[in-house]
Amino acid sequence: MKHIVLIGMMGCGKSTCGALLSQQLGIGLMDTDTYIETREGRSITEIFAQEGEPYFRMLEKAVGQEVGQMSPMVIACGGGFPLQTEAITPLKGVSHVVFLYRDPVEIYQNVAMSGRPLGQETQEAFLSRYQQREPIYRKWADQVVNVGVNPQETVDRILEVLP
Ligand code: S3P
């Protein structure tokens, strides 16, 4: 069995769906943001404010290298995780990577961005960030799943596309 790795834009539902999926499959869950927060003893917001984004990205790379060697689980990645080849490469091959697609306008208008340092931007900037990222999400994905009307529907769709 391989890891199931969820990637996609902040606010698309990776953490919520990842938690449900891990419960339903009876395997472990790694939320890369939570893992980093626990290890650092501070929030993502604090890490960005106190150390800057490059430090956070370095932590993500280290997580990718560690997780690649762990036993199979569901891994909910931070939205920027697959942007760094060094973070995502150790997971490719040992994982089934699923890009959760949710319309970025819908995300921006409906999802709370508190606790997301890069979500504190205008809708135009958010959409531009999404447009830069989407090809990268698609490049790493083994499957693309459109989010459903609720997390369970999304999880059901993920389960349908898993080999
Ligand atoms: C980020 C997304 C966040 C978190 C950090 C940076 C990004 O995770 O890793 O704030 O670059 O998109 P979520 O996708 O869970 O919001």
Side-chain angles (χ1 to χ4, degrees):
M1 191 183 176
K2 293 180 166 188
H3 294 305
I4 300 163
V5 171
L6 303 182
I7 62 172
M9 193 60 169
M10 55 188 119
C12 72
K14 302 174 299 281
S15 299
T16 306
C17 295
L20 267 180
L21 192 58
S22 82
Q23 275 170 18
Q24 287 168 26
L25 291 173
I27 58 174
L29 171 70
M30 147 93 59
D31 184 303
T32 61
D33 286 343
T34 307
Y35 187 76
I36 287 172
E37 288 181 323
T38 304
R39 173 171 285 181
E40 286 283 304
R42 49 188 168 166
S43 68
I44 300 292
T45 302
E46 287 167 335
I47 298 170
F48 269 71
Q50 292 165 5
E51 314 291 346
E53 184 177 348
Y55 178 81
F56 175 73
R57 299 300 177 199
M58 185 195 72
L59 298 176
E60 286 190 315
K61 280 190 255 182
V63 170
Q65 277 151 21
E66 284 170 42
V67 173
Q69 296 167 18
M70 295 179 183
S71 49
M73 57 190 161
V74 176
I75 303 169
C77 293
F81 189 94
L83 308 182
Q84 301 192 96
T85 304
E86 301 97 314
I88 190 86
T89 302
L91 296 180
K92 234 358 228 191
V94 294
S95 307
H96 195 79
V97 181
V98 178
F99 167 33
L100 284 190
Y101 174 79
R102 182 171 176 186
D103 177 63
V105 174
E106 208 260 307
I107 293 178
Y108 189 83
Q109 292 179 352
N110 294 297
V111 178
M113 287 293 154
S114 59
R116 293 184 165 107
L118 300 183
Q120 314 300 312
E121 57 189 359
T122 63
Q123 177 169 315
E124 192 186 4
F126 186 83
L127 295 182
S128 160
R129 186 186 295 281
Y130 177 76
Q131 275 157 17
Q132 285 165 21
R133 290 180 171 191
E134 184 177 355
I136 302 168
Y137 293 147
R138 290 190 183 276
K139 171 180 135 184
W140 291 111
D142 296 305
Q143 299 286 346
V144 180
V145 166
N146 293 330
V147 298
V149 293
N150 57 46
Q152 185 59 54
E153 188 173 279
T154 305
V155 165
D156 290 342
R157 290 182 182 177
I158 296 170
L159 291 170
E160 273 169 28
V161 301
L162 289 178

